[in-house]
Amino acid sequence: MSSLLTPTMVRATAATPQPLLTPVAPAPGGGPEDITTVPVPAQPGTSVMGSLLPDWSLGEWLGYSGIIVLALLLTVVATTTLWWMLHAWRSADDLRATQFSSSPRPARHRFTLLVPGRHEEEVMGQTLDRLAQQDHPDFEIIAIVGHDDPGTELVVRQAAARHPDLIKVVVDDSVPKNKPKALNRALQIATGDVVGVFDAEDEVHPGLLTVVDSKFQETGADVVQGGVQLMNFETSWWSLRNVLEYYFWFRSRLHFHARSKFIPLGGNTVFVTRERLEWSHGWDDQCLAEDCELGVRLSSDGAKVVVAYNPEYVTREETPPTLKSLYKQRTRWNQGFLQVLGKGEWKALPTLRQRMYARYLLNMPFLQAATGLLIPISVAFILLVKVPTPVALITFLPLVPTVITLVAEAAGLTEFGRVYDKKVRVRDYVRLVLGLVPYQIFLAAAAVRSVVRQLRGDGSWEKTEHTGAHREAASEPTTSRELVGATAEVTR
């Protein structure tokens, strides 16, 4: 049949398209011209050159990388926070090790209790009365007030008149004023071999000094940090989360830091031997987190710090009365951590592991601030730009430790209600869940403000107001407006 094809028919047959051929490997010795190739369309997000890296534009690289870094950063922070907050519950032995002795030893130490107060007319009088009820046989109380604060001075002198053998009044005339200056002023006349610090609104258990004295004897500690607990979880949506922060911090996390031999001390219910305070020259009056700074210096010098927590012995406090007040308080704490980071005392810690703990913890304001700035950028990028599937999956990583943390917080809220005889309702658990994201954004905003203040060199002290919301209405003090028997010892 082929012999019957005319030249015209041959040309027509050659012009007819042939079926697509499957690519085959070249025969041995064959060149590229022997291979029939079929172009494969490039897939979105991949390089047409077969590179292992995605074929993204510069803007995509920057945007996607920022999202990935943020997700990994949040995952690390959430995981470490979860690990530390659950430290006390890892075993029954760990939980028992966090407590005071059930059989305290006979008293051996003399205590000086420092109570600074500024514009604390509503709460300080009752605090001093409660401190005067300690069952320990040997202690003194020094109340410190500013020379420009007649309202608080009146209340303090009334309390001193009620307890002339226990309470001394020190008037601080320093300018500008802050808490560490007041503490250092009172330290000059302290007579105890152990010095404790309390805030003006504190509710202190009458047996606290007895168990603290015993803890010093049992452990040979240089510092004993007692528990502090905010109580008014029902006041607002954010007070609930603030209360749980304190619960996990003093119930568990501080014990982890003490075991690691690097610990930022709490601001009150902390007891330090007089010998160690003389070594440290008291508190750093230029630092906005004088408690953290003292703890870092003592840790760097190898001081032994013991943390003890029993619900019945905790010092009870209230959350800041307004969100603005809490915002300023968190700003001050974060900025204080940045100041301690900049001082570099933590670099004297003996081990690399301790120095890594210190660097991570003291850098937390920077991490929170960076998170606060990156979150809105990342959200906008996700909404406006089609994100590749692998990047989208990475953004879900922080949810794993976050969900576990939320479950732990719910369990903590249940336990808090049980041990402190507080009724926890369903709505409280709902507030706990709904408040998670807003509260984290709030903390990030406070961290951003602390970084800005630090860069500007603004070290002014922003005081936290107190109203006594943690106290029962029936036990609120009645303040007399007349000075009752000015028999208190006054030191100027």
Side-chain angles (χ1 to χ4, degrees):
M1 294 291 295
S2 59
S3 61
L4 299 178
L5 294 176
T6 65
T8 303
M9 295 174 62
V10 171
R11 286 194 298 271
T13 303
T16 302
Q18 299 299 314
L20 294 176
L21 299 178
T22 303
V24 296
E33 63 276 6
D34 297 327
I35 304 174
T36 302
T37 59
V38 179
V40 179
Q43 300 299 316
T46 62
S47 173
V48 296
M49 300 302 295
S51 172
L52 295 177
L53 295 177
D55 185 25
W56 294 339
S57 67
L58 178 60
E60 288 174 327
W61 270 108
L62 293 176
Y64 296 153
S65 298
I67 294 174
I68 293 172
V69 169
L70 176 61
L72 295 178
L73 180 64
L74 290 175
T75 303
V76 170
V77 172
T79 302
T80 54
T81 300
L82 175 64
W83 180 253
W84 292 344
M85 70 184 283
L86 296 180
H87 167 77
W89 291 280
R90 291 178 198 163
S91 71
D93 290 339
D94 285 334
L95 191 60
R96 282 192 296 270
T98 65
Q99 300 176 349
F100 286 110
S101 173
S102 58
S103 301
R105 297 182 182 183
R108 180 185 296 176
H109 297 284
R110 173 171 172 77
F111 288 84
T112 295
L113 310 180
L114 306 183
V115 189
R118 183 163 179 77
H119 304 305
E120 300 285 9
E121 300 94 323
E122 296 186 39
V123 295
M124 194 164 179
Q126 187 170 344
T127 296
L128 295 173
D129 286 338
R130 294 294 176 88
L131 280 174
Q133 296 173 6
Q134 288 293 309
D135 60 15
H136 193 276
D138 195 5
F139 70 98
E140 65 176 354
I141 302 169
I142 302 179
I144 314 108
V145 296
H147 72 285
D148 56 350
D149 186 7
T152 305
E153 183 175 359
L154 172 62
V155 170
V156 166
R157 292 194 185 281
Q158 289 176 335
R162 294 191 293 271
H163 311 282
D165 298 329
L166 292 176
I167 299 178
K168 300 177 182 179
V169 180
V170 167
V171 177
D172 173 29
D173 56 3
S174 64
V175 178
K177 299 188 185 310
N178 61 32
K179 182 179 177 180
K181 287 182 180 179
L183 295 176
N184 288 334
R185 178 69 180 85
L187 188 60
Q188 299 173 13
I189 66 165
T191 62
D193 58 298
V194 174
V195 178
V197 179
F198 291 93
D199 287 342
E201 81 279 13
D202 286 349
E203 286 281 301
V204 185
H205 190 280
L208 178 63
L209 294 187
T210 297
V211 294
V212 169
D213 192 335
S214 182
K215 183 62 74 172
F216 271 107
Q217 297 178 51
E218 295 159 9
T219 62
D222 298 298
V223 181
V224 172
Q225 172 70 68
V228 181
Q229 183 58 60
L230 305 180
M231 299 304 299
N232 56 314
F233 74 98
E234 68 284 349
T235 302
S236 62
W237 70 268
W238 47 265
S239 66
L240 173 63
R241 291 208 146 267
N242 201 193
V243 166
L244 285 178
E245 278 183 313
Y246 268 65
Y247 183 70
F248 283 105
W249 179 264
F250 285 96
R251 187 69 188 89
S252 180
R253 183 166 169 173
L254 274 184
H255 301 275
F256 170 83
H257 291 307
R259 178 176 291 186
S260 303
K261 298 183 179 180
F262 171 75
I263 180 170
L265 293 172
N268 74 81
T269 317
V270 59
F271 301 86
V272 187
T273 61
R274 180 64 179 268
E275 179 182 3
R276 275 297 183 175
L277 283 175
E278 289 177 349
W279 167 86
S280 68
H281 302 289
W283 292 265
D284 183 351
D285 61 12
Q286 299 302 310
C287 185
L288 295 176
E290 81 293 335
D291 45 359
C292 170
E293 195 277 338
L294 179 62
V296 170
R297 276 194 291 145
L298 291 175
S299 297
S300 300
D301 195 58
K304 184 172 184 178
V305 181
V306 174
V307 181
Y309 185 103
N310 288 65
E312 63 268 33
Y313 291 119
V314 301
T315 296
R316 303 189 178 202
E317 291 188 345
E318 63 181 326
T319 63
T322 65
L323 199 58
K324 181 179 179 180
S325 182
L326 179 63
Y327 183 63
K328 291 181 177 180
Q329 182 193 68
R330 287 309 173 93
T331 297
R332 173 164 54 83
W333 290 357
N334 284 330
Q335 190 175 354
F337 272 49
L338 296 178
Q339 290 173 333
V340 176
L341 175 67
K343 286 186 66 175
E345 300 280 356
W346 55 273
K347 295 178 182 178
L349 288 164
T351 69
L352 176 62
R353 186 174 185 178
Q354 289 173 292
R355 294 192 293 273
M356 292 300 292
Y357 276 140
R359 186 186 295 273
Y360 176 73
L361 189 61
L362 297 176
N363 266 298
M364 190 58 67
F366 281 128
L367 296 177
Q368 287 184 322
T371 300
L373 293 174
L374 286 175
I375 283 177
I377 297 175
S378 299
V379 171
F381 200 86
I382 291 173
L383 293 176
L384 300 176
V385 180
K386 185 178 180 181
V387 179
T389 300
V391 177
L393 291 176
I394 291 176
T395 63
F396 285 96
L397 283 178
L399 285 180
V400 178
T402 299
V403 170
I404 298 174
T405 299
L406 192 58
V407 173
E409 288 175 336
L413 179 58
T414 300
E415 182 174 328
F416 171 84
R418 179 179 59 81
V419 299
Y420 290 107
D421 195 25
K422 295 284 188 178
K423 187 174 183 180
V424 181
R425 299 176 173 84
V426 174
R427 68 186 183 191
D428 296 315
Y429 293 102
V430 174
R431 286 194 302 161
L432 177 68
V433 175
L434 296 181
L436 173 63
V437 174
Y439 195 70
Q440 295 306 315
I441 295 174
F442 169 81
L443 294 180
V448 171
R449 182 169 180 259
S450 71
V451 172
V452 173
R453 278 172 52 96
Q454 183 68 7
L455 293 176
R456 290 178 175 177
D458 183 0
S460 58
W461 188 281
E462 295 181 323
K463 182 186 176 300
T464 303
E465 300 85 6
H466 302 107
T467 62
H470 58 305
R471 288 173 171 158
E472 300 296 334
S475 62
E476 290 180 357
T478 54
T479 304
S480 171
R481 302 310 299 171
E482 296 180 356
L483 182 60
V484 184
T487 58
E489 179 181 347
V490 180
T491 304
R492 291 185 180 271

